[in-house]
C-alpha cells in the first residue's frame, strides 16, 4: 500500500528527517530571497577574523536554489542518509552514528579550509553518506536507465550523473574522499592492522543512549557481535528514484 507524504516523512529516521528538513528550508529561503546565502557559506576570513562561527554549521545546509541539481542532491540525502542511518552497523547505536557525523563534519571543514574556495559542504556531506553505505553494503544490485550495477560502483555512477546535470565534481569527490577515510579508519584498519583509531568516546553514550532492543548490548558497554555479511544479489534490486 502506497504511503501518504505525511506517512513517508514520519517514517524517516531522526537525523535524515531533521537534516533534510533544514536543507529544504534553507534552500526555500534562498530561492525566495528571504536570506542571502553569502551569510551562510564557509568563509574562513569571516569565521576567524569576524567570529562568524555559525558558518561552520550553516555551510552544510546550503545547496543553492531550487534546481534539477538540488532535487538530485535531495534524492541522495533522503535515500542514502536514511539507508546508512538504519544500517545494522548504526541502527540502535546512536552514539556511534553521532560520532560518524561529527567526524565527517570536522574532516570536511578541515579539507574545505585547506583547499580554499569551497563555500558549501552540504553536497560533499551527503556524498560521504552514500559512499560509506556503498562500502558497507557493496553487493546490492542497482540499476539506472536499464544498466545494472552493484552498489560499490554506485557513488561513481551518481557522480557521473551529477556532473551531467550540472553538479560539482569537486564537492562529490570531497565527499568520497572523506567517506573513504572514515571507512579505512573504522572498517579496514582495525581488521587488517589491529588499530581502532575511531572508537566512539564513552561520554557520547551518555548523551546519545542506544535504543533498547533485543540483542543490543551497546548499552552495557560490551562489544556487539559483527553484523551478518550481505549475500550478493539477495532480494530485489533498487532503482534510481525508487522507494
Amino acid at each position: 500500500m502506497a504511503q501518504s507524504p505525511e506517512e513517508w516523512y514520519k517514517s524517516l529516521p531522526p537525523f535524515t528527517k531533521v537534516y533534510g528538513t533544514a536543507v529544504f528550508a534553507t534552500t526555500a529561503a534562498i530561492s525566495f530571497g528571504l536570506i542571502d546565502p553569502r551569510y551562510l557559506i564557509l568563509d574562513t576570513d569571516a569565521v576567524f577574523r569576524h567570529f562568524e562561527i555559525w558558518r561552520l554549521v550553516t555551510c552544510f545546509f546550503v545547496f543553492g536554489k531550487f534546481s534539477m541539481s538540488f532535487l538530485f542532491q535531495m534524492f541522495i540525502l533522503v535515500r542514502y542518509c536514511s539507508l546508512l542511518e538504519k544500517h545494522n552497523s548504526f541502527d540502535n547505536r546512536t552514539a556511534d552514528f553521532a560520532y560518524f557525523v561529527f567526524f565527517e563534519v570536522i574532516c570536511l571543514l578541515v579539507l574545505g579550509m585547506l583547499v580554499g574556495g569551497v563555500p558549501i559542504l552540504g553536497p560533499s556531506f551527503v556524498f560521504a553518506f552514500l559512499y560509506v553505505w556503498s562500502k558497507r553494503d557493496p553487493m546490492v544490485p542497482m540499476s539506472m536507465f536499464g544498466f545494472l550495477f552493484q552498489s560499490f560502483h554506485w557513488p561513481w555512477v551518481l557522480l557521473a550523473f551529477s556532473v551531467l546535470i550540472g553538479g560539482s565534481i569537486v564537492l562529490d569527490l570531497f565527499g568520497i574522499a572523506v567517506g573513504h577515510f572514515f571507512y579505512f579508519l573504522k572498517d579496514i584498519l582495525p581488521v587488517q592492522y589491529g588499530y581502532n583509531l575511531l572508537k566512539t568516546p564513552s561520554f557520547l553514550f551518555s548523551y546519545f543512549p542506544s535504543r533498547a532492543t533485543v540483542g543490543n548490548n551497546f548499552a552495557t558497554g560490551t562489544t556487539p557481535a559483527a553484523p551478518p555479511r550481505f549475500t550478493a544479489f539477495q532480494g530485489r534490486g533498487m532503482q534510481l528514484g525508487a522507494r
Side-chain angles (χ1 to χ4, degrees), residues 170-185:
V170 174
L171 294 178
D172 294 346
L173 287 175
F174 275 9
I176 288 176
V178 171
H180 186 76
F181 188 42
F182 173 85
Y183 171 70
F184 175 79
L185 292 178

